[in-house]
Amino acid sequence: MKELIESKWDDILLLLETNYDMTPIIINTFIRPLKIYEVKDNTVCFYVEENRGEQAVKYLIKKEYDFFLLSAIRETLNNIDIDIRVDEKKNYIKETEETSREPMTVSDSYLAAAAKSNLNPRYTFDNFIVGDSNRHAHATCLAVADLPGQDGYNPLYLYGNPGLGKTHLMQSIGNYILQNNENLHVLYVPCETFTNDIIDAIGHNATSKFREKYNNVDVLLIDDIQKLKDKDRTQSEFFDTFNYLYNANKQIIISSDRPPKDLTYLDMRITSRFSGGIPIDIHEPDYETRIAILHNKADLDHIEGIPEEVFVYIAENFTTNVRELEGALNVLRPFSLTGEAITTERAIATLSVLVDKQGRKSLTPDYIIEIVSECTGISNEDIRSSKRSQDIATARQTVMYICSKYSSQPLTLKAIGRAVGGKDHSTVISGINKIEAKLKEDQVFKDNFEKILKMMNIST
């Protein structure tokens, strides 16, 4: 039977793609590499190579890909009595040789490597909740983590609104790589750090040291690349770094809040490199995924005693991103620490400061500034400052407009001006009018503006 299945393997994989809607990435990452170890009676035993490990087995079973594979095998061979089993290769060897396996522990050397790489060990594939909104991204990140630098996956470009798990996935890749090979040089940096490093290098006449730092890596992860806007020298250095690593077959992983085609303000050479890799989008989590995220967060942070009704309430009222969900749970954490009962009534009363009558997060000026800052890459401080560069002024005017149209409580022009750093009423009126004009004339701006409203759960 082993030989028969191997001879029909391509037909089985094609059936998975055509009849079971499995994407080529999923098939190539999790199914094609499977090997038949042995056949016991009518059970075909597949193994996953050790370099892919237990995580791949868990994912296969969790997503029922093993069931789809079984169905495709039975259909291809016209034999309903066949069964399958998938495990790690070393577990088959263990059964055969009756060897023992020590439990995995996190080594001090790995923790040291993670710290040197700017990685948070809490970000792993194991505690990332997978749903329809991020399944494609999760599978692709696993494939990259298993074999960094492979053709077709470089660069990996993750994009989506803030708070959807891009940083978690990026750092999960880095942690996975270091857990399997601590000798690889992994470096994670937010875009601001990359920018500050080049500014510091120029100021101290140390660009060669900068290039040595960023060129001497096996995996480079840069978060929020959209913040390279209006930084021409940094863009030039990034382009040179990118080319050096790419030509050396090193893995590059980028995140942004928008697809490459919308980074119109970046050097076209950079965006074309991003588009030439594998751009993957991440969407807002659906209801079931939000519930799973809340349970996972409560378990990880030991927030105990939360009734299911409270999880449901949070999932129904905080719908935009993962960060909102976790923030709502953090508000309830003090009750768990003091041993007080977290009743549904108490939770709703406590969270009411974050949720208005329509079940939407309260749109205060501070919250609006926070979201506009996340979406534009302009800091809260700059929005409230007197700086007048075009990008800062537009972000500030966007805040003025949203405050005037959508705030939970009616705001006077004076109150709006005070919220953005003490601007007078005529400046606020002018800002609102400019945004109204841009929304009519500039489609790219309108698309980005609608993303901001979506982040705030505002329907237009």
Side-chain angles (χ1 to χ4, degrees):
M1 185 182 296
K2 176 182 177 183
E3 292 76 14
L4 178 59
I5 292 176
E6 288 175 341
S7 69
K8 298 285 188 180
W9 192 235
D10 287 340
D11 295 335
I12 293 168
L13 298 184
L14 180 61
L15 192 63
L16 286 171
E17 183 175 354
T18 56
N19 287 20
Y20 294 90
D21 295 325
M22 291 181 67
T23 66
I25 286 178
I26 294 292
I27 292 170
N28 292 331
T29 302
F30 295 104
I31 306 298
R32 188 180 295 278
L34 293 176
K35 305 295 181 185
I36 298 177
Y37 185 75
E38 63 181 348
V39 178
K40 294 181 178 179
D41 298 325
N42 277 334
T43 300
V44 183
C45 301
F46 290 92
Y47 70 78
V48 175
E49 287 287 1
E50 292 180 21
N51 67 331
R52 294 183 177 270
E54 184 180 359
Q55 178 65 36
V57 175
K58 285 182 178 178
Y59 189 70
L60 274 167
I61 296 171
K62 180 178 180 180
K63 298 304 169 188
E64 298 185 344
Y65 294 150
D66 57 333
F67 175 76
F68 295 151
L69 176 59
L70 172 60
S71 299
I73 291 173
R74 287 176 172 176
E75 185 173 343
T76 302
L77 302 186
N78 194 26
N79 185 343
I80 63 171
D81 295 324
I82 293 176
D83 202 356
I84 68 169
R85 176 185 158 196
V86 181
D87 203 347
E88 291 183 87
K89 181 177 182 180
K90 58 186 175 183
N91 287 348
Y92 286 118
I93 295 173
K94 169 188 168 183
E95 288 183 358
T96 303
E97 300 178 355
E98 296 184 347
T99 59
S100 62
R101 184 176 72 169
E102 294 182 0
M104 273 190 69
T105 57
V106 177
S107 67
D108 291 339
S109 56
Y110 155 68
L111 291 175
K116 186 178 179 180
S117 301
N118 302 327
L119 296 171
N120 184 342
R122 281 175 59 92
Y123 288 131
T124 68
F125 288 120
D126 284 332
N127 59 33
F128 184 86
I129 301 301
V130 180
D132 290 339
S133 60
N134 57 30
R135 180 173 285 108
H136 190 198
H138 181 266
T140 306
C141 289
L142 267 176
V144 170
D146 271 334
L147 191 60
Q150 60 185 302
D151 290 341
Y153 291 84
N154 203 16
L156 172 61
Y157 184 97
L158 301 174
Y159 67 94
N161 287 332
L164 297 180
K166 299 185 298 294
T167 298
H168 190 146
L169 279 175
M170 291 180 76
Q171 295 213 24
S172 294
I173 294 173
N175 282 314
Y176 184 98
I177 291 170
L178 289 181
Q179 286 167 353
N180 289 278
N181 189 345
E182 295 168 10
N183 294 321
L184 286 180
H185 189 179
V186 176
L187 181 62
Y188 165 85
V189 290
C191 188
E192 297 98 322
T193 300
F194 185 88
T195 300
N196 291 336
D197 282 353
I198 187 58
I199 292 172
D200 187 62
I202 294 171
H204 292 85
N205 195 26
T207 52
S208 59
K209 186 176 180 180
F210 168 89
R211 289 165 186 156
E212 180 182 354
K213 172 183 176 179
Y214 283 95
N215 290 348
N216 188 31
V217 299
D218 298 295
V219 181
L220 177 63
L221 307 101
I222 298 186
D223 219 344
D224 289 327
I225 201 68
Q226 74 276 0
K227 294 183 180 180
L228 283 182
K229 183 178 181 180
D230 296 330
K231 299 178 177 69
D232 294 342
R233 179 61 189 272
T234 307
Q235 288 186 38
S236 177
E237 288 293 340
F238 171 79
F239 180 75
D240 291 342
T241 300
F242 183 102
N243 278 346
Y244 182 90
L245 295 176
Y246 182 83
N247 291 332
N249 295 319
K250 305 301 183 181
Q251 181 68 51
I252 304 163
I253 302 165
I254 304 295
S255 85
S256 177
D257 64 353
R258 64 202 72 186
K261 65 181 180 64
D262 288 350
L263 295 172
T264 53
Y265 47 80
L266 293 189
D267 188 320
M268 188 180 299
R269 298 176 302 168
I270 294 176
T271 55
S272 67
R273 295 295 194 278
F274 293 161
S275 298
I278 180 164
I280 303 289
D281 59 337
I282 303 176
H283 305 288
E284 292 81 4
D286 57 24
Y287 173 78
E288 291 78 9
T289 305
R290 295 198 298 273
I291 289 289
I293 288 169
L294 290 168
H295 279 285
N296 185 61
K297 171 73 173 175
D299 289 341
L300 286 175
D301 291 353
H302 307 291
I303 305 175
E304 300 176 349
I306 299 181
E308 189 63 28
E309 293 81 3
V310 173
F311 287 126
V312 169
Y313 174 79
I314 296 174
E316 288 178 344
N317 288 280
F318 296 84
T319 61
T320 306
N321 61 57
V322 178
R323 198 172 295 153
E324 281 189 348
L325 294 170
E326 294 181 342
L329 264 188
N330 286 334
V331 171
L332 302 179
R333 183 197 298 270
F335 296 112
S336 177
L337 294 176
T338 59
E340 297 180 66
I342 305 177
T343 63
T344 303
E345 293 75 17
R346 172 173 281 175
I348 292 174
T350 304
L351 294 171
S352 62
V353 296
L354 302 178
V355 182
D356 67 18
K357 294 179 181 179
Q358 286 74 42
R360 185 179 67 197
K361 195 163 181 178
S362 294
L363 299 180
T364 64
D366 285 346
Y367 176 64
I368 292 169
I369 290 172
E370 176 188 338
I371 297 301
V372 172
S373 173
E374 285 191 13
C375 293
T376 61
I378 305 300
S379 70
N380 295 5
E381 293 76 15
D382 281 345
I383 289 175
R384 292 188 172 100
S385 74
S386 58
K387 296 179 181 178
R388 297 184 179 181
S389 63
Q390 183 174 346
D391 56 342
I392 294 175
T394 300
R396 185 183 301 126
Q397 292 158 3
T398 300
V399 170
M400 295 173 180
Y401 183 88
I402 295 174
C403 283
S404 70
K405 302 292 183 182
Y406 300 108
S407 62
S408 297
Q409 300 295 329
L411 295 173
T412 64
L413 295 175
K414 184 176 180 180
I416 295 173
R418 186 166 56 245
V420 292
K423 307 300 183 290
D424 60 37
H425 76 282
S426 61
T427 302
V428 175
I429 292 172
S430 174
I432 293 171
N433 291 337
K434 286 179 179 178
I435 295 301
E436 287 181 341
K438 286 179 75 70
L439 288 172
K440 294 176 182 177
E441 301 166 359
D442 188 335
Q443 186 60 45
V444 173
F445 176 82
K446 183 179 179 181
D447 291 343
N448 291 331
F449 181 83
E450 288 175 351
K451 289 180 182 178
I452 294 173
L453 295 187
K454 191 174 182 181
M455 278 286 294
M456 300 180 191
N457 202 22
I458 298 173
S459 57
T460 56

